[in-house]
Each structure stands twice: as C-alpha cells, then as structure tokens.
Amino acid sequence: MALSGIEIFKLTPRTNCKECGFPTCMAFSMKVASGAVEIGKCPHISDEAKEKLSEATAPPMKTITVGTGDAERKLGGETVLFRHEKTLVSRPLVAVQFADSMSDDIIDAKIANVQKVDYERIGEQMNAESVSVKFDGDKDKYIKLVEKVAALNKVVVLVCDDVAVATEALALVKGAKPVLVGANKDNINEMVALAKDNGAVLGLCADTVEEMYSLVETAQAADYKELILNPGTASMAKTLENTIEIRRTAITGGDRVLGYPSIVFVNDLAGGDPYLETALAATYVLKYGSIIVLSDITYAQALPFFGLRQNIFTDPQKPMRVEPKVYEFANPKEDSPVLLTVDFALTYFVVSGEIERAKAPAYLLIPDAGGYSVLTSWAAGKFGASVIANMVKESGIEQKLTVKKLVLPGKVAVLKGDLQEELPGWEIIVGPEEAMQIPKFLNEFK
Amino acid sequence: MAYKKVSKKYNGKISEVVIGTGDKATAIGGRNVLPLHTFDGEAGQAPKLGLEIVDIAPTDWIDAFNGIYGDVCNDAAAWAKLVEEKYAPDFIYLRFEGADPAGQNKSAEECAELAKKVAQNITLPLVVGGCNNAEKDAEVFKAVSEALEGKNILVLSAKEENYKAVGAASGLAYKQKVGAESAVDINLAKQINILLTQLGVNKNDIVMNVGSAAVGYGFEYVTSTMDRIILAALGQNDETLQMPIITPVAQDAWSVKESIASEADAPAWGPTEDRGIHMEISTASACIASGSDAVILRHPKSLETMKTFVQGIIG
C-alpha cells in the first residue's frame, strides 16, 4: 500500500536542507506521496528508507519482462482496472500457437502468416510478438519445432508440463527470456527450479483461483517471482471469471500474491473457430489478458485486434497523434487539392478513410497542432493561420504544385481571410464540416 | 496467507426493458453487476443480438451481402421474414435510410406503411432506426410508432435535437420504448435521459445509445464512457444512468476501410467480407465487455458467432 506524506516524512533526514528543491522536508514528502517527485531527489535519504518506500509504492502487480533484444516486451505492472482511472500500461501480446502434432504444411503456413502480418499503425509496428509451442507428445519433433520458431526472433512461449522435455526445449532458448507454461500442482517444485536455472518466466496453470493462489505461494516460497498465470481453459465463462478474479485480487484487494500478468489460451477456448477467437481476443484486451494466444494470425483478425489494443492502451491524458507531414492519396498530381486537418490520430483516421473512399487524388497536409481535434486545437491557438502557413512552406508542398488549392476544414472557415493573407498565390477553399461529406466534396471538386 | 475473494456488490441496478410482445418478446438489462461479471451477483439478461435490415435496397453495403440476401433486399417485409426464419436474432433492426431528405426522401406515411408490413411478417421484436436527419426522423418515428401501436417497439433514437417530438409521440402517445442517443460522453448521456424523463417518459421505457465507434477508431472513448456510466449507475446508484445500453455496431463496423476496401485496393489484406466480419465481431464483443446490453449486427456470420460467444461467456 502507498505511504502517506507523513510516513514518508519520517523517512527523510528532516533537516530542511532544500537540496531537493523544496523548502522543507515536509513539502518534499507531500510531493513524493502524490507521485509527483521521485524519492531519489533527496540526496540524504538512506538506502534502507529508499527500499522501504519503493516497495510500498510498487504497483500491486509486478512488471514481468519477456524476450530479449528487439523482441523484449513488458507485461503487467497495471495499477487500475479501468483505463479512465489512470491508464493501462502494458499492452497484451499476441502469441500464435504451434504444436508438434501439426503437419509441416500447417506449421509453415503459420510461420508465413506471422511474418506477413506486420504493418504500421499510428507510428507503431503491429505484429504477433510471440510464438507459443505446445508439446503434444512427439519429443523429437517438438525440439525441432522449438528451434524452428525460435528463429523468428519473437518471445517464445513453451507450453509443456513434462519436466524432461521442457529441460531440453529450454536449453535451445536459454538467454532469450522465454516463457515456460506448464507448472501445476504436481510438478511445481521441479518447474520452479528449471525456470530459475534458465531465466525463464514460469507460467502457472490452475483451473481455480484458489489453486492458483497456492501455486504462486509455492513459487514465491522458493524465491521465484518471474511468473505468469494461466487461468485455464475449463470454459469460456470460468476462464474469464478466473482472469477477472486474479486481476482484481491484486489491484482492488492489494494482494500481491496474484499480482502477476496472465496468459489466456483463446485458441483452445474457441475450439478452432477463428471468428470466436476474435470475439474472445477483444474481450481479453479489455478484461485483463497479458498474452493472448491465437491459433493463427491473418490480416482479417489482426486489423481489428491491434486497432482495439492501440485504442485501449493509450494514456487518457495523452491523445494519440500522427506525424505532421504531407500525406498522399491516389497518386496526386501538380493540380490536386491540398486538404488540411489536425494531427489528432482519430481525426486523421476518419479524414484519411474518407479521402481513400473518394478515390480522388489529393494531398492531406497535417501541421503540428498539439494532438487535439480541429476545434479544440484552433481554440487553443495551435491550429491558426501562421501555424498552417509555416507548415505549407516547410513541407515543400509548394514545389510539387502548379495549381495551389488549400481546402480548410469547414469548422475553421473563419481562418480563410488570415490564410489568404499569409499564403499569397494560394486559393483557400472552405471544405466540408464533417469528414463523411469529403467523398462528395472531392468528387465534385474542380 | 489464504486467498480472499474480492467480490464487488453494488447497490444500483440497470433497469430491465422489454421490447416486443408475446413469446418472442425480449428483455434487456436487469443486472447489478459489471458487464460479463455474472459471478458477482444478479446477472440479469444476457446481452441481446439484433440483425439489421434496411427499408430500401442498401447501396453502400459490400457486394457479399448480395450473395447472402439477393433480391429480398428490395422488399423489407420479405427480408425481415427471412432473417427471422433463417438467422433467428433476438430482434430485428429496421433502418429507414430511404427517408433521408438527401436521398429517396420517402414520406413518413410510406415508412409507416412499410413498418406495418414488416411487423405483420414477423413475431420478433422490432427496433426502428431513422436516416440520421433529426427533423425527418421525428416525423418517421411518430408515424411508425402510431402504425405499430401495441407492438412495443424500440425507437432509435431520440437525441437532443428531436427528443421532444420523439419522446412525446413514441414514448407518451403510443407507449413504445424510446432510445436516448448521445455522443460518447457520460454527461450528454445523462442529460438526454433527464430531458426525456422530464418530458414524462418513464425511465423504465428508456434504452440508451451512448454512441460508438469501430475498434481502432477512438474506441477508447466508447469503452471509458461506458465504464464510467456503469460505475455511476451501479456504484453511485445514479438513477439517471440506469438504463440499459444498446449499440448499433453494424454501421460503424461496416464503414471503416478495413471492412470495405476491395481486395484489389488492399491485396495483402485478403477477402473483404472476412475482414468486415472480424471487425464487426471485435467491435461487438468489445462493446459487450464494456457494457452494451444489446448490439445490432449486419452479417449473419457475426450474429452466429456472437450467439456462441454470449452463450459461452455468460456461463
């Protein structure tokens, strides 16, 4: 639990030396309590006090790192159940499931899909970050398969409850911070030892939360805290219930025993139905999945999944933005119109979607407008005539044009006069108020 | 230390609203738990699923729907019957796109006539939507509500610009259920509910449409708006927000480029229809997980999948 300002004050030297930049130790302590300042800003604080404090202020849920190098990702570390309360921090990973029981053709097709589905959306690369390899009984084939998919340089999840097989498989990915899912009440001690030896994150499997709780206690008693929890696949309803119970025991109940990320085998729950996988995957993006395992990945599944994930895991205080620049649609030419809008991602998406729908050649000019909607950024003085005129000049768009026509969002028609003055040689046109009118506007444009 | 279950009990409850009549009448809402948290208390009604049809043959639906429905799209009454018999949703959503003054501009009387034919052809509850022109919608809803008096339909929806006309006609005069529409903002949702109840519409006759978006298109606002509404309704027992939520997923999900770009335009993405279905399912399940008590879908495959999802996840 978090400490109060008074409790933090007691840990400080109480000399009011001002070296932290605050007039008194008390003022400093209050700021630390509110989370505005790091305790380390006090040069005289003891290590012991620091440790006490960092333990007290640590999130109720542990942050677990998986993978290494480019594949490294963080899981967990959440502090709230709903994004509006603060923000959700660690976006769930997608893992594609492989198994030694699958034919080579299927395996190769999935590998091809994992490589193919890889694209950028609002400045983020979207792809399956993880591969999951399940042991179905053929050890030699399993080992070969692990070797094969490990070469994809993704986070490797080994699904295997056979200690001997897991030992061999782990040796192949040692050092790559893999996940080993397969500890249960029968093998927990061996599995903990194995995970410890190999620096693997250990996945604990239980169909009830009570059983999960005792598994975590066993692992923690062996001093191992690199864990991820698999709430089972007993049924769609039970798995969701377990996942929710685990998360809120940690966040609301403040019980760190269950303060670990989760791995949900949506592929098993959906029984091979890709549409049902999509429904469940969306649910677990919202309701506390940390690694979501799918049977395969296609663009049809990936586009909505990654779109939803990107939406949900944005900080409510920081709007998503697109890069300020000139975007081109349908091979625009030297007489194509230049449309204008703001860098708020949502606005960009709606506007660019409508321009694409119009299938008419056009440029879309986006200045740095602070990441707000058209009217908000205009009202905040971030989307005025001089900002726009500067962007027109800096972007070099003028060199591409013989006919210079700038289309203003209808909502800021008021800018027309000023822009006319700032941009001599340009024709300033007031465009539609709503994005949905853009196709009509562009198709009638001359 | 032993495991201590953290369950959460709420004082507030989402009201239960029945639409339709007879055996096929369907109830939505009625829970005092967070969405999908059926294990916490009174689970109420499982989320209800509707399928969308249009009064005129739709022009902006992807080609695949031609293959599914064919000529029946030209006759909403036959279309409704086919949907009821073949796909069996919980309700049918009839949208009067043809009333749009910027389009075919069909009169309110024509719409009412058609609504009557549709209602005669089905036993499922009917939800009626307009053309998104507030003034015209008020006329259409009035005429349709009158023509279908006693059918207990849900009208989608009354908004700030037309709530007086829609509330007075559909809610008060003809005793239908009224949708209260707002644009992804808890305060606007509350305001339209208050305006309608002040007009005299019973709060148990109101269903909210709090606005929506396809996933990837600002869905964070949708989910946070719903989270906040439901926490206020249940946790603070805020009576002005205890109406169940219906979300017309279909129109948003089937208008983004992921769902409509042709294969020629986006060759890497694969078949258009499949993309649209996944987009619709993803949006619908995210809405249900956020708090929708009913969703409106367009593709029969989406409906089939969401039926399995709801049955499985509610347990």
Side-chain angles (χ1 to χ4, degrees), chain A residues 5 63 73 84 110 112 126 140 172 183 226 254 267 285 295 303 313 322 344 346 358 365 374 383 408 430 437:
Chain A
T63 302
R73 294 288 184 281
H84 70 266
K110 283 190 197 204
M126 303 295 185
D140 292 340
L172 299 171
E226 294 291 301
N267 61 322
V285 168
S295 53
L303 294 168
F313 285 80
V322 293
F344 179 38
L346 190 52
L365 179 77
V374 169
F383 191 52
L408 279 182
V430 175
Q437 297 150 353

Side-chain angles (χ1 to χ4, degrees), chain A residues 82-84 116 121 209-210 213 217 236-237 240-241 244-245 248-249 252-253 255 257-258 273-276 278-280 282-284 286-287 299-301 303-305 307-308 311-312 314 319-320 344 346 349-350 352-353 356-357 359, chain B residues 1-8 34-37 39-40 214-221 223-224 227-228 231 255 257-258 260 265 268-270 274-275 277-279 281-282 285-287 289-290 301 305-306 308-309 312-315:
Chain A
F82 302 96
R83 65 179 288 283
H84 70 266
K116 182 179 161 196
R121 189 178 205 273
V209 183
E210 291 78 3
Y213 198 90
E217 285 187 316
M236 279 189 240
L240 182 67
E241 179 181 345
I244 292 172
E245 294 281 9
R248 69 181 178 188
T249 302
T252 316
D255 187 340
V257 173
L258 293 183
D273 176 348
Y275 298 110
L276 191 53
T278 287
L280 290 165
T283 308
Y284 282 105
L286 287 156
K287 295 298 165 208
Y299 269 99
Q301 292 167 290
L303 294 168
F305 179 89
L308 175 63
N311 279 173
I312 299 304
T314 51
M320 272 197 294
F344 179 38
L346 190 52
F349 259 106
V350 174
S352 65
E356 273 173 21
R357 203 205 295 235
K359 296 198 166 81
Chain B
M1 206 158 84
Y3 168 59
K4 199 164 141 263
K5 191 173 167 136
V6 180
S7 60
K8 185 84 183 154
L34 296 175
L36 305 180
H37 289 51
F39 39 86
D40 272 348
V215 291
Y217 289 82
F219 195 83
E220 67 270 34
Y221 298 97
T223 200
S224 286
D227 282 343
R228 293 179 63 203
L231 289 170
S255 64
K257 66 171 178 243
E258 288 88 337
I260 54 177
D265 285 343
W269 283 4
D274 205 36
R275 275 185 262 131
I277 298 170
H278 280 284
M279 185 54 99
I281 290 171
S282 189
S285 39
C287 283
S290 301
K301 186 73 197 176
T305 306
M306 292 307 293
T308 313
F309 172 77
I313 205 110
I314 293 299

Side-chain angles (χ1 to χ4, degrees), chain B residues 31-263:
Chain B
R31 61 188 159 84
N32 75 351
V33 296
L34 296 175
L36 305 180
H37 289 51
T38 49
F39 39 86
D40 272 348
E42 239 179 288
Q45 299 291 332
K48 295 294 156 62
L49 310 167
L51 209 58
E52 178 188 49
I53 64 171
V54 190
D55 65 329
I56 53 172
T59 51
D60 61 345
W61 288 20
I62 61 162
D63 293 343
F65 286 100
N66 265 333
I68 296 168
Y69 290 129
D71 286 344
V72 80
C73 292
N74 296 306
D75 176 357
W79 191 356
K81 194 174 173 61
L82 176 109
V83 162
E84 168 163 329
E85 286 170 359
K86 195 164 174 190
Y87 303 118
D90 295 311
F91 60 90
I92 289 175
Y93 176 60
L94 170 60
R95 188 161 57 82
F96 284 99
E97 190 178 302
D100 190 351
Q104 289 196 16
N105 200 19
K106 283 171 37 179
S107 71
E109 291 68 35
E110 278 177 86
C111 295
E113 203 50 46
L114 183 70
K116 232 175 174 167
K117 282 191 199 150
V118 169
Q120 277 163 3
N121 249 2
I122 57 171
T123 57
L124 284 173
L126 196 58
V127 177
V128 168
C131 62
N132 223 1
N133 174 310
E135 209 178 316
K136 183 64 180 283
D137 283 351
E139 288 173 36
V140 171
F141 292 156
K142 182 177 177 218
V144 170
S145 294
E146 183 181 4
L148 299 186
E149 197 172 0
K151 292 280 185 188
N152 196 24
I153 64 168
L154 168 63
V155 167
L156 278 192
S157 10
K159 33 189 171 185
E160 203 180 341
E161 298 92 326
N162 64 10
Y163 79 92
K164 278 187 186 156
V166 177
S170 303
L172 297 175
Y174 304 113
K175 303 275 174 244
Q176 312 285 16
K177 301 296 191 275
V178 182
E181 182 175 338
S182 53
V184 200
D185 181 309
I186 183 173
N187 294 312
L188 296 178
K190 197 173 161 101
Q191 175 179 299
I192 188 76
N193 289 345
I194 292 173
L195 289 173
L196 277 170
T197 43
Q198 280 175 349
L199 194 67
V201 180
N202 188 325
K203 90 176 184 67
N204 294 315
D205 290 339
I206 299 174
V207 175
M208 290 188 277
N209 168 12
V210 300
S212 183
V215 291
Y217 289 82
F219 195 83
E220 67 270 34
Y221 298 97
V222 178
T223 200
S224 286
T225 300
M226 288 195 197
D227 282 343
R228 293 179 63 203
I229 287 175
I230 286 155
L231 289 170
L234 300 181
Q236 294 154 33
N237 206 3
D238 185 339
E239 289 191 8
T240 63
L241 287 169
Q242 287 173 339
M243 297 72 172
I245 297 173
I246 185 168
T247 308
V249 165
Q251 266 173 292
D252 291 316
W254 289 98
S255 64
V256 296
K257 66 171 178 243
E258 288 88 337
S259 312
I260 54 177
S262 68
E263 240 184 297

Side-chain angles (χ1 to χ4, degrees), chain A residues 8 169 218 233 248 323 328 433:
Chain A
I8 295 166
T218 308
T233 48
R248 69 181 178 188
E323 185 192 346
E328 300 190 351
E433 285 210 4

Side-chain angles (χ1 to χ4, degrees), chain A residues 46 88 304 366 429 446:
Chain A
S46 71
L88 301 172
I366 297 191
I429 299 157
K446 245 300 112 233

Side-chain angles (χ1 to χ4, degrees), chain A residues 15 105 245 249 311 330 339 385 400 421:
Chain A
T15 52
D105 287 351
E245 294 281 9
T249 302
N311 279 173
L339 278 68
K400 293 185 190 167
E421 262 174 46

